[in-house]
Amino acid sequence: MTTRAALLILADGRFPAGGHAHSGGAEPAVKAGHIRDARDLADFCLGRLHTTGLTAAALAAAAARGLDPLALDEAADARTPSPALRTVARKLGRQLMRAARATWPSPELDALAAARPRGAHQPVVLGLTARAAGLGPEDVAHCAAYESVSGPATAVVRLLSLDPFEATAVLARLAPALDRVAEQAAAAARKGVGALPAASAPLLDITAEAHAAWPVRLFAS
């Protein structure tokens, strides 16, 4: 049975899944001068939503539909060319797995944890978590799409001392685009692993590799 309360818990930034330590590429973008204000943040989030956000949402929706999580994990690897981002995705997946198994125990989560002890990709774990919580593909697609932009928005508040009201307004204005991306992701998931989008953001991949080598940084990614 689908429950809205479970969706709120899963999408809550206070859910202990480790996302607060990651900027989604915003930290190097701020340092490079690409994000200086709320308008730049909106552009950054929109680009991220239609690339990595769409891909993550489709993977999560496919996992929630019951597609093979190991096949999806391999598909996520193929869609993540940056070694640094693959490492991040698995770390986040491992952290989410811990929180999910404590919150919504599931044999499917247990099986994936056993098969991927170093962590499966976060969107795949997110999809199985949603499935365990009684949520559907469309629900988790919205959750993944929102995560792809809420993380950078929160990070930029800290990095630039941006007014949090402005950051929240950016997210609110993205709502129609979020809905469209979630619907597109859920539709792709109905067609199988081979039909999942592989939208890429090469600049995010490049800056992720550089960011991983920074000796001092505020965020893990």
Side-chain angles (χ1 to χ4, degrees):
M1 179 179 67
T2 298
T3 163
R4 288 184 178 176
L7 179 59
L8 292 173
I9 293 168
L10 189 56
D12 192 332
R14 291 164 293 188
F15 189 72
H20 65 279
H22 298 266
S23 77
E27 185 169 26
V30 167
K31 184 175 182 179
H34 299 315
I35 301 178
R36 295 161 296 181
D37 52 28
R39 181 177 298 180
D40 293 339
L41 174 61
D43 290 341
F44 179 88
C45 286
L46 187 62
R48 183 170 167 78
L49 173 63
H50 284 286
T51 53
T52 57
L54 171 61
T55 301
L59 287 163
R65 286 191 65 82
L67 275 65
D68 180 0
L70 297 181
L72 290 171
D73 195 54
E74 292 177 0
D77 244 9
R79 287 161 172 76
T80 312
S82 163
L85 291 181
R86 285 199 296 270
T87 298
V88 166
R90 292 192 181 280
K91 284 183 178 178
L92 285 170
R94 186 167 64 247
Q95 178 66 24
L96 175 57
M97 180 69 79
R98 291 179 60 198
R101 292 172 77 189
T103 308
W104 297 289
S106 157
E108 290 182 319
L109 287 169
D110 293 342
L112 182 58
R116 293 288 188 271
R118 300 182 65 181
H121 278 260
Q122 191 267 359
V124 180
V125 180
L126 181 63
L128 280 191
T129 301
R131 187 173 168 86
L135 299 169
E138 292 80 7
D139 297 314
V140 76
H142 275 91
C143 186
Y146 179 70
E147 278 186 351
S148 74
V149 294
S150 61
T154 301
V156 169
V157 169
R158 295 169 62 184
L159 290 162
L160 289 179
S161 297
L162 184 70
D163 186 336
F165 295 157
E166 289 189 78
T168 301
V170 166
L171 296 177
R173 287 191 289 269
L174 283 173
L178 282 163
D179 287 344
R180 289 192 295 271
V181 166
E183 290 167 3
Q184 184 180 350
R190 290 194 288 270
K191 300 176 184 178
V193 177
L196 296 179
S200 63
L203 187 57
L204 287 180
D205 295 329
I206 293 168
T207 57
E209 292 300 311
H211 182 266
W214 287 8
V216 179
R217 59 194 180 196
L218 183 60
F219 291 91
S221 71

